[in-house]
């Protein structure tokens, strides 16, 4: 597996959450903690045992069930964590483990005792696979997303007696409900995920090896950062924290229209005095053209944001830059040939 390092390059690393789950389940098996995590409805009447609704997924009492759970984590869990990011993967796993546990206890309370009384991570595997129905499709050549959980549901009882079939079915049903959006109100927002990923702990884990916290794909923390020659920022600089693509584009358009009314055929213009001269000098020392630097600063107001626009090629050369507050007669922009 490969994950992005702190400077955007790919480096070998294992997804943090699914790898830790493998170590945790193996450790609990070795110390014999599996029977203490069995999902027994009568024990849930004790407030100190309610944790089993969630922790039942970590315990195993049969070796075949443990081996099957461990086998699926690197083959399926790692890909899911890379696709979702570590924080969203952890949230979805915990939410589906809790949902499948509650459903199993409910069925057991209705008289289907075989729906509970066991433990294991297989219901969560089934729920995660079934929940993929609301995410982008897999590449061509793979099994259809809807077929994988049903195929695994049919094969698991043949390979292990733990957990029972009804408990496996509870996991699959929880995943289908997740795919249908039943738990959408419990999903963390992108802003909250961004705040967590920018925290000290997550940033530290994102730079660890061989286990690494993976940012949510498509989030600002996951985007690779490139710097022009001679420009360097400290590792902890939150360069992408305030850079939203749509807001930047709107800022550029607003800055270009900020001057007085112009003739229909005239080019847009900006005044040098509308931006900080100190910040403009910093960009000029970095080697950026003055005209484009003025436009980028007018759009973002910050050196870091301006650098991002300039490096990304999002600033054109049509804008005319003037020294004062007058019109484009004192232009610094490129004149006619």
């Amino acid at each position: 597996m490969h994950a992005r390092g702190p400077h955007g390059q790919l480096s070998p690393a294992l997804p943090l959450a699914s790898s830790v789950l493998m170590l945790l389940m193996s450790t609990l098996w070795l110390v014999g903690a599996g029977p203490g995590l069995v999902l027994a409805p009568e024990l849930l009447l004790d407030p100190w045992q309610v944790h089993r609704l969630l922790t039942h997924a970590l315990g195993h009492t049969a070796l075949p069930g443990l081996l099957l759970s461990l086998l699926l984590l690197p083959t399926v869990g790692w890909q899911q964590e890379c696709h979702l990011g570590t924080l969203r993967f952890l949230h979805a796993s915990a939410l589906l483990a809790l949902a499948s546990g509650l459903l199993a206890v409910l069925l057991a309370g209705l008289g289907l005792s075989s729906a509970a009384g066991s433990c294991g991570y297989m219901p969560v595997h089934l729920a995660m696979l079934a929940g993929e129905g609301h995410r982008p499709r897999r590449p061509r050549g793979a099994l259809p997303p809807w077929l994988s959980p049903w195929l695994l549901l049919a094969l698991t009882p043949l390979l292990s007696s733990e957990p029972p079939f009804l408990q496996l079915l509870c996991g699959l049903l929880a995943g289908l409900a997740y795919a249908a959006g039943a738990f959408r109100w419990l999903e963390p927002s992108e802003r909250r995920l961004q705040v967590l990923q920018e925290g000290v702990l997550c940033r530290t884990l994102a730079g660890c090896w061989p286990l690494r916290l993976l940012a949510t794909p498509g989030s600002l923390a996951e985007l690779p950062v490139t710097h022009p020659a001679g420009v360097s920022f400290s590792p902890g600089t939150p360069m992408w924290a305030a850079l939203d693509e749509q807001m930047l584009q709107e800022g550029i358009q607003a800055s270009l229209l900020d001057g007085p009314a112009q003739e229909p055929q005239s080019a847009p213009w900006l005044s040098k005095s509308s931006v900080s001269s100190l910040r403009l000098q910093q960009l000029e020392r970095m080697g950026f053209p003055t005209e484009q630097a003025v436009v980028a600063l007018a759009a973002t107001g910050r050196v870091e944001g301006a650098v991002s626009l300039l490096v990304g090629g999002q600033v054109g050369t049509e804008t005319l830059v003037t020294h004062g507050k007058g019109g484009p007669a004192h232009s610094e922009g490129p004149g006619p040939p």
Side-chain angles (χ1 to χ4, degrees):
M1 301 295 295
H2 290 76
R4 290 197 180 275
H7 299 290
Q9 41 302 47
L10 292 176
S11 59
L14 300 178
L16 176 66
S18 45
S19 301
V20 170
L21 279 174
M22 295 176 64
L23 295 174
L24 183 58
M25 288 190 293
S26 301
T27 302
L28 291 174
W29 163 262
L30 291 175
V31 300
L37 300 176
V38 168
L39 190 61
E42 62 276 7
L43 294 178
L44 297 180
L45 298 176
D46 182 358
W48 297 101
Q49 298 297 326
V50 177
H51 67 87
R52 296 193 186 200
L53 288 173
L54 180 64
T55 56
H56 70 92
L58 301 176
H60 294 80
T61 57
L63 182 59
L66 171 66
L67 295 178
L68 187 57
S69 296
L70 293 178
L71 176 64
L72 288 176
L73 276 171
T75 56
V76 177
W78 285 356
Q79 295 182 10
Q80 291 171 340
E81 185 171 350
C82 290
H83 178 72
L84 295 173
T86 297
L87 295 182
R88 195 176 288 281
F89 174 82
L90 276 176
H91 179 271
S93 300
L95 179 62
L96 291 174
L98 182 61
S100 60
L102 285 171
L103 185 55
V105 170
L106 176 62
L107 292 180
L110 295 176
L112 299 175
S113 58
S114 59
S118 186
C119 56
Y121 199 80
M122 286 305 300
V124 182
H125 278 311
L126 287 167
M128 292 290 288
L129 286 172
E132 287 183 347
H134 78 294
R135 295 194 290 268
R137 292 180 178 271
R138 294 180 178 182
R140 294 182 180 180
L143 289 175
W146 62 268
L147 179 59
S148 301
W150 294 100
L151 186 60
L152 186 61
L153 176 66
L155 293 177
T156 300
L158 302 177
L159 302 175
S160 173
S161 59
E162 177 194 70
F165 179 81
L166 280 180
Q167 194 168 340
L168 295 172
L169 183 62
C170 289
L172 191 145
L173 293 177
L176 293 176
Y178 183 74
F183 306 128
R184 190 167 300 166
W185 59 284
L186 294 173
E187 286 287 315
S189 64
E190 293 295 334
R191 180 180 296 274
R192 185 168 187 82
L193 286 175
Q194 184 67 25
V195 171
L196 291 174
Q197 288 174 162
E198 290 177 356
V200 176
L201 178 60
C202 287
R203 283 189 299 169
T204 302
L205 293 175
C208 290
W209 185 91
L211 304 181
R212 178 168 298 163
L213 184 142
L214 306 180
T216 302
S219 67
L220 297 177
E222 191 264 349
L223 295 176
V225 179
T226 57
H227 308 300
V231 182
S232 62
F233 296 93
S234 60
T237 302
M239 182 175 177
W240 294 91
L243 298 182
D244 180 87
E245 182 73 18
Q246 183 177 359
M247 293 180 63
L248 290 178
Q249 293 295 341
E250 292 176 355
I252 294 176
Q253 296 299 324
S255 66
L256 296 180
L257 300 175
D258 197 23
Q262 304 175 33
E263 297 180 3
Q265 300 299 325
S266 64
W269 59 272
L270 282 173
S271 171
K272 250 188 176 184
S273 61
S274 63
V275 299
S276 168
S277 59
L278 179 60
R279 293 175 179 174
L280 180 59
Q281 291 174 7
Q282 292 178 352
L283 292 176
E284 290 175 336
R285 285 197 294 268
M286 295 177 189
F288 294 114
T290 301
E291 295 78 14
Q292 297 182 16
V294 170
V295 175
L297 278 176
T300 64
R302 303 187 315 117
V303 174
E304 294 87 347
V307 169
S308 301
L309 285 179
L310 293 167
V311 171
Q314 301 179 35
V315 180
T317 59
E318 334 40 66
T319 304
L320 302 180
V321 177
T322 66
H323 285 284
K325 296 183 178 180
H330 305 287
S331 168
E332 287 187 4

